[in-house]
Amino acid sequence: MTRLIRPTLLTLTLLTTAAAQDAQTVRLGFFPNLTHAPALVGLERGTFQKALSQVGSGKVKLDAKEFVSGTTLTEAFAAGQIDIAYVGPGPAINAAGRGMPVQFLAGASEAGAVLVVRKDSGIKSYKDLAGKIVAVPSLGNTQDISLRHILNENSLKPRADGGNVTITPIAPADVLAAFAAKRVDATLVPEPWGAALEAQGHKVIGSEKTVWRDGKYPTTVVIVNAKFAQANPQIVTAFLKAHTDAVAFINKSPVAAQTAVNNQLLKATGTKLDPRVLQRAFARTRFTTSLDLAALTEYAKLNVEAGYARSAPDLAPFIRK
Amino acid sequence: MTALSPDMQPTRAARGQSHWQTLVTQLVGLIVILGAWWLVTDVLKLYPPYVFPGPKAVWTEISYGLWGTGPQDGKLLSAIGGSLRRVLTGYVIAVLLGVVVGLLMGAWRPLRTTLGAYLTGIQSVPSIAFVPFAILFLGLNERAVLFVVILEGFIPVALAVSGALLNVPPALRVAGRTLGAGSLGLMLRVLLPASVPSILTGLRTAWSFSWRALVGGELLIAGAASLGEQLEIGRNTANVALVLATIIIIGVIGGLFDSLLRAAEGRVRRDYGLEVPQ
């Protein structure tokens, strides 16, 4: 019995002390999307590393990990492999609802998700999505939850729930290829992939404003592992300052920010976008550090509506004061 | 063929008793497993519930998913329906295809030495490896899932059928010929019936291959209600309890079908005198 318990206890100790043990390294998760621009700009300009090197003995390192979509990051977060993350509100709310040590640190971007249809799909309005295949970054992610809400409002249903709209998960960067191969008819994607599709002649039928709440919805938030935050308050403060700086830079120098984003996109996806595409995508996204609790709470309700949770958690305790 | 002397058959009572013993042992085993699980998760709390939930949380997912009446409940039930429909369609096609290909391979040596060898090779490729090809070839739809299910299911049937034909005692062939059977008659009335026990073994293997291929395919090709989609949703919404609930359901269904086929196989083997009942 001891032989069985010892390794288990060891694993447990590793799990619970992961936060404190790695105090000298901040493991950051993000995705290569424009809605994560503060992360991309901060990485490109060294903003995070600079702020972190001013903490304590100056030995705090940044380890940035790139994820394909919102929900896979939650797994890494649950496994204690990520300390701070840029993530959509959908996965963050799910993580909070399941009792993960999540703390909402700040907002990052609002709006910036569009519904694009393939040029020869014959779809003109939301109603025409009936019988079509619609791609989202992943099941249960922020855009998936929004899409299910749009369907619900237009008396449509996903096929898995007995309706006729097929929702399929495809990484945003791969949606261009899926459109070209006619494998999907439409997609609800975060920018810049909407603008990139548009540049190839596909049509935006749901702008960031008509998707939900007149565009006043969070698309990306910054979360931190609550245990990590408790053990490393200085690091979290420094990171938050760097995040605020990155957002301010984006709003002050959008052109330089677009170049920075493009460089990071090239590194992450091997695709560099036309500056005009990025400019258009930027125009549809707002960058902010503020967190709108009311919007987040409504999102939690949409998450229930989409069938991903049975109840909406009270999010107020999860927000860092 | 059932020429066993009566004293070799265990009495009905003895057989019944051993069935009961097995059932009781299995039940005790289940209780021990559930107890250990409950001890690790709910009593000792060795893992946080979002990493390894306890049996109660998993049971909640199963009960809501199977007979819950809320607007978002019953999803596991419709997933089971979708998956079963898909796997049974694929399995039936796979078996028919497998029997035809197997008969051809059994009858014609060049086909056996070429296709037979390749099929053995293909069988060693994990079904999930075919999914990307299936998606590109057939699109992001059910046909891609069916493709993988059929591919995985038909190979063991084809190999079992052709193997069984080769193992039919030559005396039966001679007897068939002597009694005036033509090539087709010999095949359908002598060789095929004589191969039934081996074919049934192939059918059982085909079932487990198809079932595993189905869940693998559904995991990547979401869209319709399916067990694969439930796994993916559980994973994506940090709902480990749903993931475990789905795994349990996949295992139970797979096991149920397997034991049905095993029972049929055992019965046929007894009828053919291939097995002396204990």
Side-chain angles (χ1 to χ4, degrees):
Chain A
M1 204 62 189
T2 358
R3 255 191 310 174
L4 192 112
I5 284 175
R6 206 171 289 152
T8 337
L9 282 178
L10 185 69
T11 322
L12 170 80
T13 328
L14 284 176
L15 270 175
T16 49
T17 56
Q21 175 204 354
D22 280 332
Q24 296 307 331
T25 307
V26 178
R27 295 162 305 172
L28 172 73
F30 71 99
F31 324 131
N33 293 332
L34 192 137
T35 48
H36 289 237
L40 303 178
V41 169
L43 287 171
E44 180 72 16
R45 295 174 42 86
T47 319
F48 299 127
Q49 187 57 70
K50 209 176 117 202
L52 290 175
S53 59
Q54 284 159 6
V55 176
S57 55
K59 284 198 186 121
V60 182
K61 287 264 173 303
L62 181 75
D63 177 15
K65 293 173 204 217
E66 169 204 324
F67 289 81
V68 178
S69 124
T71 43
T72 45
L73 191 145
T74 320
E75 281 181 316
F77 199 87
Q81 288 160 356
I82 290 291
D83 305 312
I84 302 181
Y86 284 83
V87 68
I93 289 167
N94 268 321
R98 308 269 177 231
M100 279 190 213
V102 172
Q103 203 172 57
F104 287 80
L105 209 54
S109 67
E110 291 182 348
V114 286
L115 196 117
V116 193
V117 302
R118 217 181 62 228
K119 51 189 161 193
D120 47 1
S121 65
I123 305 171
K124 297 230 159 35
S125 69
Y126 289 153
K127 298 253 181 236
D128 299 333
L129 290 173
K132 303 289 184 183
I133 302 178
V134 191
V136 292
S138 76
L139 294 182
N141 96 317
T142 306
Q143 280 78 42
D144 179 35
I145 294 166
S146 298
L147 175 65
R148 283 167 202 264
H149 179 62
I150 290 173
L151 295 183
N152 198 25
E153 288 207 313
N154 288 277
S155 317
L156 293 168
K157 262 187 180 178
R159 209 151 68 90
D161 297 341
N164 60 359
V165 181
T166 306
I167 301 177
T168 192
I170 298 179
D174 297 336
V175 168
L176 292 160
F179 264 55
K182 300 194 179 187
R183 271 163 50 196
V184 292
D185 303 302
T187 183
L188 186 59
V189 274
E191 292 291 10
W193 310 111
L197 286 166
E198 216 181 0
Q200 297 190 346
H202 303 296
K203 300 269 175 286
V204 170
I205 64 158
S207 74
E208 78 286 1
K209 293 211 167 60
T210 60
V211 163
W212 189 48
R213 255 181 147 246
D214 202 20
K216 293 187 193 74
Y217 54 88
T219 315
T220 307
V221 296
V222 187
I223 57 170
V224 61
N225 184 313
K227 286 181 197 153
F228 178 87
Q230 205 173 9
N232 308 285
Q234 284 179 305
I235 290 181
V236 175
T237 310
F239 185 89
L240 194 54
K241 190 187 167 296
H243 168 66
T244 312
D245 288 352
V247 170
F249 179 81
I250 294 170
N251 288 328
K252 203 180 72 191
S253 325
V255 179
Q258 283 160 29
T259 312
V261 165
N262 222 353
N263 289 340
Q264 285 286 320
L265 285 181
L266 182 67
K267 268 183 214 164
T269 65
T271 317
K272 195 157 186 160
L273 293 169
D274 185 327
R276 278 169 301 179
V277 170
L278 262 182
Q279 202 185 345
R280 176 175 285 189
F282 253 77
R284 287 199 283 236
T285 318
R286 265 192 320 282
F287 299 99
T288 172
T289 56
S290 74
L291 265 178
D292 184 350
L293 180 60
L296 277 178
T297 305
E298 272 190 61
Y299 229 115
K301 284 180 191 148
L302 293 197
N303 193 35
V304 174
E305 179 191 293
Y308 292 134
R310 267 183 213 99
S311 58
D314 174 16
L315 293 172
F318 292 94
I319 291 178
R320 185 180 153 95
K321 302 293 172 311
Chain B
M1 288 242 179
T2 48
L4 288 166
S5 61
D7 57 5
M8 282 176 74
Q9 301 262 17
T11 60
R12 192 173 285 262
R15 242 187 305 162
Q17 200 180 9
S18 84
H19 274 245
W20 274 111
Q21 271 174 351
T22 318
L23 204 66
V24 168
T25 320
Q26 282 173 344
L27 205 65
V28 171
L30 184 68
I31 292 169
V32 169
I33 291 171
L34 285 176
W37 178 8
W38 176 72
L39 196 71
V40 166
T41 53
D42 290 348
V43 180
L44 298 174
K45 296 194 193 300
L46 290 183
Y47 299 94
Y50 54 85
V51 172
F52 186 22
K56 210 178 143 218
V58 174
W59 176 251
T60 307
E61 287 298 330
I62 292 180
S63 59
Y64 277 113
L66 289 185
W67 53 81
T69 48
Q72 296 302 341
D73 293 336
K75 293 208 168 181
L76 277 172
L77 194 65
S78 48
I80 292 173
S83 288
L84 277 183
R85 182 180 49 73
R86 227 164 278 127
V87 78
L88 290 177
T89 313
Y91 182 67
V92 167
I93 298 175
V95 167
L96 294 177
L97 196 68
V99 169
V100 172
V101 173
L103 288 177
L104 290 176
M105 286 202 304
W108 196 37
R109 177 187 281 273
L111 196 65
R112 197 158 62 235
T113 49
T114 53
L115 187 63
Y118 304 147
L119 287 185
T120 318
I122 295 173
Q123 201 174 22
S124 69
V125 180
S127 59
I128 201 107
F130 288 105
V131 174
F133 169 71
I135 293 176
L136 291 172
F137 187 57
L138 296 162
L140 272 171
N141 50 39
E142 294 213 359
R143 277 179 301 165
V145 185
L146 276 181
F147 172 82
V148 185
V149 171
I150 294 169
L151 181 71
E152 289 294 311
F154 112 90
I155 297 175
V157 179
L159 292 177
V161 170
S162 76
L165 290 184
L166 293 180
N167 289 329
V168 171
L172 284 181
R173 284 173 198 268
V174 176
R177 290 272 185 219
T178 315
L179 293 171
S183 290
L184 192 65
L186 189 72
M187 180 68 86
L188 294 179
R189 285 160 173 265
V190 180
L191 299 183
L192 205 52
S195 322
V196 167
S198 319
I199 292 174
L200 270 171
T201 312
L203 290 188
R204 195 159 57 77
T205 321
W207 160 258
S208 62
F209 275 51
S210 290
W211 186 234
R212 273 185 283 178
L214 173 88
V215 178
E218 285 179 339
L219 203 56
L220 296 182
I221 310 164
S226 72
L227 289 167
E229 195 200 38
Q230 288 296 307
L231 280 178
E232 190 65 9
I233 286 175
R235 181 190 160 197
N236 284 345
T237 59
N239 192 348
V240 198
L242 177 60
V243 171
L244 289 178
T246 312
I247 290 174
I248 290 171
I249 287 172
I250 291 169
V252 167
I253 295 178
L256 275 179
F257 271 79
D258 186 77
S259 47
L260 276 179
L261 289 168
R262 199 182 284 270
E265 187 191 349
R267 195 188 170 95
V268 168
R269 286 182 68 85
R270 272 199 300 279
D271 286 352
Y272 273 66
L274 292 167
E275 226 162 74
V276 182
Q278 305 95 348

